[in-house]
PDB file of all heavy atoms in Angstrom:
ATOM      1  N   MET A  19       7.568  -7.313  12.221  1.00  0.00           N
ATOM      2  CA  MET A  19       6.700  -8.405  11.766  1.00  0.00           C
ATOM      3  C   MET A  19       6.881  -9.653  12.621  1.00  0.00           C
ATOM      4  O   MET A  19       5.921 -10.391  12.846  1.00  0.00           O
ATOM      5  CB  MET A  19       6.951  -8.701  10.287  1.00  0.00           C
ATOM      6  CG  MET A  19       6.477  -7.592   9.355  1.00  0.00           C
ATOM      7  SD  MET A  19       4.754  -7.080   9.600  1.00  0.00           S
ATOM      8  CE  MET A  19       3.886  -8.615   9.314  1.00  0.00           C
ATOM      9  N   TRP A  22       4.627  -9.150  15.477  1.00  0.00           N
ATOM     10  CA  TRP A  22       3.190  -9.011  15.181  1.00  0.00           C
ATOM     11  C   TRP A  22       2.543 -10.372  15.354  1.00  0.00           C
ATOM     12  O   TRP A  22       2.840 -11.310  14.625  1.00  0.00           O
ATOM     13  CB  TRP A  22       2.979  -8.509  13.756  1.00  0.00           C
ATOM     14  CG  TRP A  22       1.541  -8.187  13.467  1.00  0.00           C
ATOM     15  CD1 TRP A  22       0.607  -9.042  12.961  1.00  0.00           C
ATOM     16  CD2 TRP A  22       0.882  -6.952  13.693  1.00  0.00           C
ATOM     17  NE1 TRP A  22      -0.598  -8.403  12.846  1.00  0.00           N
ATOM     18  CE2 TRP A  22      -0.458  -7.116  13.296  1.00  0.00           C
ATOM     19  CE3 TRP A  22       1.288  -5.716  14.198  1.00  0.00           C
ATOM     20  CZ2 TRP A  22      -1.397  -6.076  13.378  1.00  0.00           C
ATOM     21  CZ3 TRP A  22       0.354  -4.686  14.273  1.00  0.00           C
ATOM     22  CH2 TRP A  22      -0.968  -4.874  13.869  1.00  0.00           C
ATOM     23  N   ASN A  23       1.667 -10.498  16.310  1.00  0.00           N
ATOM     24  CA  ASN A  23       1.060 -11.807  16.574  1.00  0.00           C
ATOM     25  C   ASN A  23      -0.461 -11.757  16.521  1.00  0.00           C
ATOM     26  O   ASN A  23      -1.125 -12.642  17.039  1.00  0.00           O
ATOM     27  CB  ASN A  23       1.542 -12.362  17.923  1.00  0.00           C
ATOM     28  CG  ASN A  23       1.229 -11.413  19.072  1.00  0.00           C
ATOM     29  OD1 ASN A  23       0.547 -10.415  18.886  1.00  0.00           O
ATOM     30  ND2 ASN A  23       1.732 -11.724  20.243  1.00  0.00           N
ATOM     31  N   GLU A  24      -0.993 -10.733  15.898  1.00  0.00           N
ATOM     32  CA  GLU A  24      -2.439 -10.615  15.793  1.00  0.00           C
ATOM     33  C   GLU A  24      -2.933 -11.337  14.542  1.00  0.00           C
ATOM     34  O   GLU A  24      -2.244 -11.367  13.524  1.00  0.00           O
ATOM     35  CB  GLU A  24      -2.840  -9.144  15.774  1.00  0.00           C
ATOM     36  CG  GLU A  24      -2.444  -8.441  17.075  1.00  0.00           C
ATOM     37  CD  GLU A  24      -2.948  -7.020  17.137  1.00  0.00           C
ATOM     38  OE1 GLU A  24      -4.059  -6.761  16.635  1.00  0.00           O
ATOM     39  OE2 GLU A  24      -2.233  -6.178  17.691  1.00  0.00           O
ATOM     40  N   PRO A  25      -4.124 -11.915  14.612  1.00  0.00           N
ATOM     41  CA  PRO A  25      -4.652 -12.635  13.441  1.00  0.00           C
ATOM     42  C   PRO A  25      -4.977 -11.675  12.297  1.00  0.00           C
ATOM     43  O   PRO A  25      -5.129 -10.474  12.501  1.00  0.00           O
ATOM     44  CB  PRO A  25      -5.926 -13.297  13.985  1.00  0.00           C
ATOM     45  CG  PRO A  25      -6.314 -12.477  15.171  1.00  0.00           C
ATOM     46  CD  PRO A  25      -5.042 -11.917  15.741  1.00  0.00           C
ATOM     47  N   LEU A  26      -5.094 -12.242  11.103  1.00  0.00           N
ATOM     48  CA  LEU A  26      -5.439 -11.473   9.905  1.00  0.00           C
ATOM     49  C   LEU A  26      -6.696 -12.068   9.261  1.00  0.00           C
ATOM     50  O   LEU A  26      -6.781 -12.198   8.044  1.00  0.00           O
ATOM     51  CB  LEU A  26      -4.267 -11.466   8.924  1.00  0.00           C
ATOM     52  CG  LEU A  26      -2.974 -10.835   9.422  1.00  0.00           C
ATOM     53  CD1 LEU A  26      -1.841 -11.049   8.415  1.00  0.00           C
ATOM     54  CD2 LEU A  26      -3.163  -9.355   9.712  1.00  0.00           C
ATOM     55  N   ASP A  27      -7.650 -12.424  10.096  1.00  0.00           N
ATOM     56  CA  ASP A  27      -8.843 -13.108   9.616  1.00  0.00           C
ATOM     57  C   ASP A  27      -9.885 -12.170   9.010  1.00  0.00           C
ATOM     58  O   ASP A  27     -10.621 -12.555   8.109  1.00  0.00           O
ATOM     59  CB  ASP A  27      -9.487 -13.903  10.751  1.00  0.00           C
ATOM     60  CG  ASP A  27      -8.561 -14.972  11.304  1.00  0.00           C
ATOM     61  OD1 ASP A  27      -7.746 -15.513  10.526  1.00  0.00           O
ATOM     62  OD2 ASP A  27      -8.628 -15.256  12.514  1.00  0.00           O
ATOM     63  N   THR A  28      -9.967 -10.932   9.507  1.00  0.00           N
ATOM     64  CA  THR A  28     -10.981  -9.993   9.028  1.00  0.00           C
ATOM     65  C   THR A  28     -10.303  -8.818   8.328  1.00  0.00           C
ATOM     66  O   THR A  28      -9.107  -8.565   8.524  1.00  0.00           O
ATOM     67  CB  THR A  28     -11.818  -9.445  10.193  1.00  0.00           C
ATOM     68  OG1 THR A  28     -10.988  -8.617  11.019  1.00  0.00           O
ATOM     69  CG2 THR A  28     -12.421 -10.578  11.030  1.00  0.00           C
ATOM     70  N   VAL A  29     -11.087  -8.062   7.549  1.00  0.00           N
ATOM     71  CA  VAL A  29     -10.513  -6.897   6.884  1.00  0.00           C
ATOM     72  C   VAL A  29     -10.064  -5.861   7.913  1.00  0.00           C
ATOM     73  O   VAL A  29      -9.080  -5.155   7.687  1.00  0.00           O
ATOM     74  CB  VAL A  29     -11.453  -6.265   5.836  1.00  0.00           C
ATOM     75  CG1 VAL A  29     -11.642  -7.195   4.660  1.00  0.00           C
ATOM     76  CG2 VAL A  29     -12.755  -5.825   6.426  1.00  0.00           C
ATOM     77  N   GLU A  30     -10.739  -5.781   9.045  1.00  0.00           N
ATOM     78  CA  GLU A  30     -10.334  -4.839  10.086  1.00  0.00           C
ATOM     79  C   GLU A  30      -8.989  -5.237  10.686  1.00  0.00           C
ATOM     80  O   GLU A  30      -8.130  -4.378  10.913  1.00  0.00           O
ATOM     81  CB  GLU A  30     -11.400  -4.745  11.182  1.00  0.00           C
ATOM     82  CG  GLU A  30     -12.694  -4.090  10.750  1.00  0.00           C
ATOM     83  CD  GLU A  30     -13.637  -5.015   9.988  1.00  0.00           C
ATOM     84  OE1 GLU A  30     -13.386  -6.250   9.918  1.00  0.00           O
ATOM     85  OE2 GLU A  30     -14.629  -4.498   9.435  1.00  0.00           O
ATOM     86  N   GLN A  31      -8.781  -6.510  10.927  1.00  0.00           N
ATOM     87  CA  GLN A  31      -7.493  -6.976  11.460  1.00  0.00           C
ATOM     88  C   GLN A  31      -6.378  -6.743  10.441  1.00  0.00           C
ATOM     89  O   GLN A  31      -5.264  -6.367  10.800  1.00  0.00           O
ATOM     90  CB  GLN A  31      -7.582  -8.463  11.826  1.00  0.00           C
ATOM     91  CG  GLN A  31      -8.476  -8.733  13.016  1.00  0.00           C
ATOM     92  CD  GLN A  31      -8.796 -10.211  13.178  1.00  0.00           C
ATOM     93  OE1 GLN A  31      -8.827 -10.980  12.217  1.00  0.00           O
ATOM     94  NE2 GLN A  31      -9.044 -10.618  14.416  1.00  0.00           N
ATOM     95  N   ARG A  32      -6.676  -6.968   9.195  1.00  0.00           N
ATOM     96  CA  ARG A  32      -5.693  -6.758   8.137  1.00  0.00           C
ATOM     97  C   ARG A  32      -5.350  -5.270   8.002  1.00  0.00           C
ATOM     98  O   ARG A  32      -4.186  -4.897   7.854  1.00  0.00           O
ATOM     99  CB  ARG A  32      -6.220  -7.313   6.811  1.00  0.00           C
ATOM    100  CG  ARG A  32      -6.408  -8.819   6.855  1.00  0.00           C
ATOM    101  CD  ARG A  32      -7.179  -9.350   5.678  1.00  0.00           C
ATOM    102  NE  ARG A  32      -7.422 -10.772   5.864  1.00  0.00           N
ATOM    103  CZ  ARG A  32      -8.099 -11.528   5.022  1.00  0.00           C
ATOM    104  NH1 ARG A  32      -8.602 -10.996   3.910  1.00  0.00           N
ATOM    105  NH2 ARG A  32      -8.275 -12.803   5.269  1.00  0.00           N
ATOM    106  N   MET A  33      -6.391  -4.437   8.062  1.00  0.00           N
ATOM    107  CA  MET A  33      -6.160  -2.996   7.961  1.00  0.00           C
ATOM    108  C   MET A  33      -5.368  -2.498   9.155  1.00  0.00           C
ATOM    109  O   MET A  33      -4.544  -1.580   9.015  1.00  0.00           O
ATOM    110  CB  MET A  33      -7.483  -2.239   7.846  1.00  0.00           C
ATOM    111  CG  MET A  33      -7.300  -0.744   7.637  1.00  0.00           C
ATOM    112  SD  MET A  33      -6.417  -0.315   6.108  1.00  0.00           S
ATOM    113  CE  MET A  33      -7.659  -0.771   4.900  1.00  0.00           C
ATOM    114  N   LEU A  35      -2.928  -3.890  10.566  1.00  0.00           N
ATOM    115  CA  LEU A  35      -1.527  -4.082  10.237  1.00  0.00           C
ATOM    116  C   LEU A  35      -1.062  -3.061   9.197  1.00  0.00           C
ATOM    117  O   LEU A  35       0.002  -2.460   9.348  1.00  0.00           O
ATOM    118  CB  LEU A  35      -1.262  -5.506   9.737  1.00  0.00           C
ATOM    119  CG  LEU A  35       0.165  -5.799   9.257  1.00  0.00           C
ATOM    120  CD1 LEU A  35       1.201  -5.480  10.335  1.00  0.00           C
ATOM    121  CD2 LEU A  35       0.278  -7.261   8.813  1.00  0.00           C
ATOM    122  N   ILE A  55      -0.569  -4.490   2.652  1.00  0.00           N
ATOM    123  CA  ILE A  55      -0.265  -5.912   2.779  1.00  0.00           C
ATOM    124  C   ILE A  55      -1.018  -6.673   1.692  1.00  0.00           C
ATOM    125  O   ILE A  55      -2.020  -6.192   1.159  1.00  0.00           O
ATOM    126  CB  ILE A  55      -0.623  -6.482   4.174  1.00  0.00           C
ATOM    127  CG1 ILE A  55      -2.133  -6.487   4.413  1.00  0.00           C
ATOM    128  CG2 ILE A  55       0.092  -5.712   5.270  1.00  0.00           C
ATOM    129  CD1 ILE A  55      -2.561  -7.236   5.688  1.00  0.00           C
ATOM    130  N   VAL A  56      -0.512  -7.852   1.376  1.00  0.00           N
ATOM    131  CA  VAL A  56      -1.185  -8.764   0.452  1.00  0.00           C
ATOM    132  C   VAL A  56      -1.412 -10.064   1.214  1.00  0.00           C
ATOM    133  O   VAL A  56      -0.475 -10.607   1.806  1.00  0.00           O
ATOM    134  CB  VAL A  56      -0.342  -9.012  -0.819  1.00  0.00           C
ATOM    135  CG1 VAL A  56      -1.023 -10.031  -1.730  1.00  0.00           C
ATOM    136  CG2 VAL A  56      -0.100  -7.699  -1.569  1.00  0.00           C
ATOM    137  N   VAL A  57      -2.669 -10.526   1.236  1.00  0.00           N
ATOM    138  CA  VAL A  57      -3.026 -11.750   1.955  1.00  0.00           C
ATOM    139  C   VAL A  57      -3.888 -12.640   1.074  1.00  0.00           C
ATOM    140  O   VAL A  57      -4.568 -12.166   0.173  1.00  0.00           O
ATOM    141  CB  VAL A  57      -3.800 -11.455   3.270  1.00  0.00           C
ATOM    142  CG1 VAL A  57      -2.968 -10.688   4.254  1.00  0.00           C
ATOM    143  CG2 VAL A  57      -5.089 -10.728   3.001  1.00  0.00           C
ATOM    144  N   GLU A  58      -3.844 -13.931   1.364  1.00  0.00           N
ATOM    145  CA  GLU A  58      -4.804 -14.846   0.750  1.00  0.00           C
ATOM    146  C   GLU A  58      -6.150 -14.582   1.401  1.00  0.00           C
ATOM    147  O   GLU A  58      -6.238 -14.469   2.628  1.00  0.00           O
ATOM    148  CB  GLU A  58      -4.397 -16.294   0.973  1.00  0.00           C
ATOM    149  CG  GLU A  58      -3.224 -16.719   0.135  1.00  0.00           C
ATOM    150  CD  GLU A  58      -2.871 -18.192   0.311  1.00  0.00           C
ATOM    151  OE1 GLU A  58      -3.284 -18.793   1.325  1.00  0.00           O
ATOM    152  OE2 GLU A  58      -2.164 -18.721  -0.556  1.00  0.00           O
ATOM    153  N   GLU A  59      -7.200 -14.450   0.607  1.00  0.00           N
ATOM    154  CA  GLU A  59      -8.518 -14.158   1.170  1.00  0.00           C
ATOM    155  C   GLU A  59      -8.990 -15.259   2.107  1.00  0.00           C
ATOM    156  O   GLU A  59      -9.527 -14.982   3.173  1.00  0.00           O
ATOM    157  CB  GLU A  59      -9.542 -13.935   0.056  1.00  0.00           C
ATOM    158  CG  GLU A  59      -9.407 -12.597  -0.602  1.00  0.00           C
ATOM    159  CD  GLU A  59     -10.526 -12.306  -1.568  1.00  0.00           C
ATOM    160  OE1 GLU A  59     -11.490 -13.108  -1.687  1.00  0.00           O
ATOM    161  OE2 GLU A  59     -10.453 -11.258  -2.234  1.00  0.00           O
ATOM    162  N   GLN A  60      -8.810 -16.486   1.705  1.00  0.00           N
ATOM    163  CA  GLN A  60      -9.190 -17.618   2.553  1.00  0.00           C
ATOM    164  C   GLN A  60      -7.944 -18.125   3.255  1.00  0.00           C
ATOM    165  O   GLN A  60      -6.920 -18.320   2.617  1.00  0.00           O
ATOM    166  CB  GLN A  60      -9.818 -18.741   1.716  1.00  0.00           C
ATOM    167  CG  GLN A  60     -11.020 -18.302   0.922  1.00  0.00           C
ATOM    168  CD  GLN A  60     -12.154 -17.790   1.786  1.00  0.00           C
ATOM    169  OE1 GLN A  60     -12.474 -18.361   2.819  1.00  0.00           O
ATOM    170  NE2 GLN A  60     -12.756 -16.699   1.356  1.00  0.00           N
ATOM    171  N   GLY A  61      -8.009 -18.320   4.538  1.00  0.00           N
ATOM    172  CA  GLY A  61      -6.853 -18.801   5.270  1.00  0.00           C
ATOM    173  C   GLY A  61      -5.993 -17.677   5.822  1.00  0.00           C
ATOM    174  O   GLY A  61      -5.209 -17.875   6.724  1.00  0.00           O
ATOM    175  N   SER A  62      -6.115 -16.490   5.254  1.00  0.00           N
ATOM    176  CA  SER A  62      -5.473 -15.292   5.784  1.00  0.00           C
ATOM    177  C   SER A  62      -3.952 -15.345   5.818  1.00  0.00           C
ATOM    178  O   SER A  62      -3.322 -14.669   6.628  1.00  0.00           O
ATOM    179  CB  SER A  62      -6.008 -14.996   7.190  1.00  0.00           C
ATOM    180  OG  SER A  62      -7.406 -14.923   7.165  1.00  0.00           O
ATOM    181  N   ARG A  63      -3.343 -16.144   4.962  1.00  0.00           N
ATOM    182  CA  ARG A  63      -1.880 -16.208   4.942  1.00  0.00           C
ATOM    183  C   ARG A  63      -1.322 -14.904   4.384  1.00  0.00           C
ATOM    184  O   ARG A  63      -1.714 -14.440   3.315  1.00  0.00           O
ATOM    185  CB  ARG A  63      -1.419 -17.388   4.095  1.00  0.00           C
ATOM    186  CG  ARG A  63       0.105 -17.574   4.095  1.00  0.00           C
ATOM    187  CD  ARG A  63       0.503 -18.901   3.478  1.00  0.00           C
ATOM    188  NE  ARG A  63       0.225 -18.962   2.064  1.00  0.00           N
ATOM    189  CZ  ARG A  63       1.137 -18.807   1.100  1.00  0.00           C
ATOM    190  NH1 ARG A  63       2.403 -18.596   1.418  1.00  0.00           N
ATOM    191  NH2 ARG A  63       0.797 -18.895  -0.159  1.00  0.00           N
ATOM    192  N   LEU A  64      -0.391 -14.314   5.133  1.00  0.00           N
ATOM    193  CA  LEU A  64       0.261 -13.079   4.717  1.00  0.00           C
ATOM    194  C   LEU A  64       1.279 -13.407   3.633  1.00  0.00           C
ATOM    195  O   LEU A  64       2.188 -14.206   3.841  1.00  0.00           O
ATOM    196  CB  LEU A  64       0.950 -12.422   5.918  1.00  0.00           C
ATOM    197  CG  LEU A  64       1.645 -11.095   5.671  1.00  0.00           C
ATOM    198  CD1 LEU A  64       0.641 -10.017   5.264  1.00  0.00           C
ATOM    199  CD2 LEU A  64       2.401 -10.670   6.930  1.00  0.00           C
ATOM    200  N   LEU A  65       1.124 -12.769   2.461  1.00  0.00           N
ATOM    201  CA  LEU A  65       2.023 -13.013   1.337  1.00  0.00           C
ATOM    202  C   LEU A  65       3.129 -11.980   1.255  1.00  0.00           C
ATOM    203  O   LEU A  65       4.239 -12.287   0.830  1.00  0.00           O
ATOM    204  CB  LEU A  65       1.234 -13.043   0.033  1.00  0.00           C
ATOM    205  CG  LEU A  65       0.116 -14.091  -0.041  1.00  0.00           C
ATOM    206  CD1 LEU A  65      -0.644 -13.962  -1.347  1.00  0.00           C
ATOM    207  CD2 LEU A  65       0.690 -15.482   0.127  1.00  0.00           C
ATOM    208  N   SER A  66       2.822 -10.739   1.632  1.00  0.00           N
ATOM    209  CA  SER A  66       3.837  -9.691   1.617  1.00  0.00           C
ATOM    210  C   SER A  66       3.330  -8.462   2.350  1.00  0.00           C
ATOM    211  O   SER A  66       2.129  -8.319   2.597  1.00  0.00           O
ATOM    212  CB  SER A  66       4.229  -9.307   0.191  1.00  0.00           C
ATOM    213  OG  SER A  66       3.164  -8.634  -0.446  1.00  0.00           O
ATOM    214  N   VAL A  67       4.263  -7.598   2.675  1.00  0.00           N
ATOM    215  CA  VAL A  67       3.942  -6.291   3.232  1.00  0.00           C
ATOM    216  C   VAL A  67       4.689  -5.247   2.410  1.00  0.00           C
ATOM    217  O   VAL A  67       5.678  -5.557   1.740  1.00  0.00           O
ATOM    218  CB  VAL A  67       4.327  -6.163   4.724  1.00  0.00           C
ATOM    219  CG1 VAL A  67       3.630  -7.227   5.558  1.00  0.00           C
ATOM    220  CG2 VAL A  67       5.832  -6.237   4.925  1.00  0.00           C
ATOM    221  N   SER A 103      -4.687 -18.725  -5.854  1.00  0.00           N
ATOM    222  CA  SER A 103      -5.764 -18.516  -4.885  1.00  0.00           C
ATOM    223  C   SER A 103      -6.258 -17.076  -4.981  1.00  0.00           C
ATOM    224  O   SER A 103      -5.649 -16.243  -5.647  1.00  0.00           O
ATOM    225  CB  SER A 103      -5.265 -18.800  -3.463  1.00  0.00           C
ATOM    226  OG  SER A 103      -4.258 -17.874  -3.110  1.00  0.00           O
ATOM    227  N   ARG A 104      -7.367 -16.811  -4.318  1.00  0.00           N
ATOM    228  CA  ARG A 104      -7.898 -15.447  -4.288  1.00  0.00           C
ATOM    229  C   ARG A 104      -7.053 -14.622  -3.320  1.00  0.00           C
ATOM    230  O   ARG A 104      -6.819 -15.035  -2.196  1.00  0.00           O
ATOM    231  CB  ARG A 104      -9.365 -15.457  -3.881  1.00  0.00           C
ATOM    232  CG  ARG A 104     -10.239 -16.139  -4.938  1.00  0.00           C
ATOM    233  CD  ARG A 104     -11.705 -16.148  -4.562  1.00  0.00           C
ATOM    234  NE  ARG A 104     -12.263 -14.833  -4.323  1.00  0.00           N
ATOM    235  CZ  ARG A 104     -12.694 -13.979  -5.259  1.00  0.00           C
ATOM    236  NH1 ARG A 104     -12.589 -14.322  -6.537  1.00  0.00           N
ATOM    237  NH2 ARG A 104     -13.210 -12.826  -4.943  1.00  0.00           N
ATOM    238  N   VAL A 105      -6.615 -13.464  -3.798  1.00  0.00           N
ATOM    239  CA  VAL A 105      -5.673 -12.642  -3.050  1.00  0.00           C
ATOM    240  C   VAL A 105      -6.252 -11.249  -2.859  1.00  0.00           C
ATOM    241  O   VAL A 105      -6.897 -10.705  -3.757  1.00  0.00           O
ATOM    242  CB  VAL A 105      -4.320 -12.586  -3.797  1.00  0.00           C
ATOM    243  CG1 VAL A 105      -3.350 -11.639  -3.128  1.00  0.00           C
ATOM    244  CG2 VAL A 105      -3.713 -13.981  -3.887  1.00  0.00           C
ATOM    245  N   GLN A 106      -5.991 -10.675  -1.689  1.00  0.00           N
ATOM    246  CA  GLN A 106      -6.517  -9.364  -1.331  1.00  0.00           C
ATOM    247  C   GLN A 106      -5.379  -8.378  -1.066  1.00  0.00           C
ATOM    248  O   GLN A 106      -4.408  -8.725  -0.392  1.00  0.00           O
ATOM    249  CB  GLN A 106      -7.377  -9.502  -0.082  1.00  0.00           C
ATOM    250  CG  GLN A 106      -8.081  -8.251   0.367  1.00  0.00           C
ATOM    251  CD  GLN A 106      -9.033  -8.574   1.502  1.00  0.00           C
ATOM    252  OE1 GLN A 106      -8.596  -8.851   2.602  1.00  0.00           O
ATOM    253  NE2 GLN A 106     -10.329  -8.545   1.205  1.00  0.00           N
ATOM    254  N   LEU A 107      -5.534  -7.164  -1.584  1.00  0.00           N
ATOM    255  CA  LEU A 107      -4.626  -6.064  -1.294  1.00  0.00           C
ATOM    256  C   LEU A 107      -5.302  -5.167  -0.275  1.00  0.00           C
ATOM    257  O   LEU A 107      -6.422  -4.703  -0.499  1.00  0.00           O
ATOM    258  CB  LEU A 107      -4.322  -5.270  -2.573  1.00  0.00           C
ATOM    259  CG  LEU A 107      -3.541  -3.962  -2.405  1.00  0.00           C
ATOM    260  CD1 LEU A 107      -2.136  -4.224  -1.865  1.00  0.00           C
ATOM    261  CD2 LEU A 107      -3.487  -3.210  -3.738  1.00  0.00           C
ATOM    262  N   ILE A 108      -4.637  -4.935   0.840  1.00  0.00           N
ATOM    263  CA  ILE A 108      -5.124  -4.037   1.892  1.00  0.00           C
ATOM    264  C   ILE A 108      -4.172  -2.850   1.919  1.00  0.00           C
ATOM    265  O   ILE A 108      -2.963  -3.028   2.052  1.00  0.00           O
ATOM    266  CB  ILE A 108      -5.097  -4.710   3.277  1.00  0.00           C
ATOM    267  CG1 ILE A 108      -5.821  -6.042   3.279  1.00  0.00           C
ATOM    268  CG2 ILE A 108      -5.627  -3.767   4.345  1.00  0.00           C
ATOM    269  CD1 ILE A 108      -7.302  -5.967   3.336  1.00  0.00           C
ATOM    270  N   SER A 127      -7.985 -10.254  -6.220  1.00  0.00           N
ATOM    271  CA  SER A 127      -9.428 -10.399  -6.389  1.00  0.00           C
ATOM    272  C   SER A 127     -10.211  -9.370  -5.595  1.00  0.00           C
ATOM    273  O   SER A 127     -11.411  -9.206  -5.809  1.00  0.00           O
ATOM    274  CB  SER A 127      -9.870 -11.803  -6.007  1.00  0.00           C
ATOM    275  OG  SER A 127      -9.366 -12.150  -4.738  1.00  0.00           O
ATOM    276  N   SER A 128      -9.518  -8.655  -4.682  1.00  0.00           N
ATOM    277  CA  SER A 128     -10.185  -7.595  -3.935  1.00  0.00           C
ATOM    278  C   SER A 128      -9.168  -6.595  -3.413  1.00  0.00           C
ATOM    279  O   SER A 128      -7.994  -6.916  -3.256  1.00  0.00           O
ATOM    280  CB  SER A 128     -11.005  -8.169  -2.777  1.00  0.00           C
ATOM    281  OG  SER A 128     -10.186  -8.820  -1.838  1.00  0.00           O
TER     282      SER A 128
END
Side-chain angles (χ1 to χ4, degrees):
M19 291 308 301
W22 187 269
N23 58 7
E24 298 186 36
L26 299 173
D27 299 328
T28 68
V29 292
E30 291 81 9
Q31 291 167 331
R32 296 168 185 178
M33 184 62 70
L35 176 56
I55 67 171
V56 177
V57 297
E58 287 183 341
E59 284 188 5
Q60 303 299 317
S62 306
R63 184 169 68 102
L64 182 64
L65 302 177
S66 69
V67 302
S103 64
R104 294 181 57 82
V105 175
Q106 184 173 71
L107 172 64
I108 307 282
S127 51
S128 63

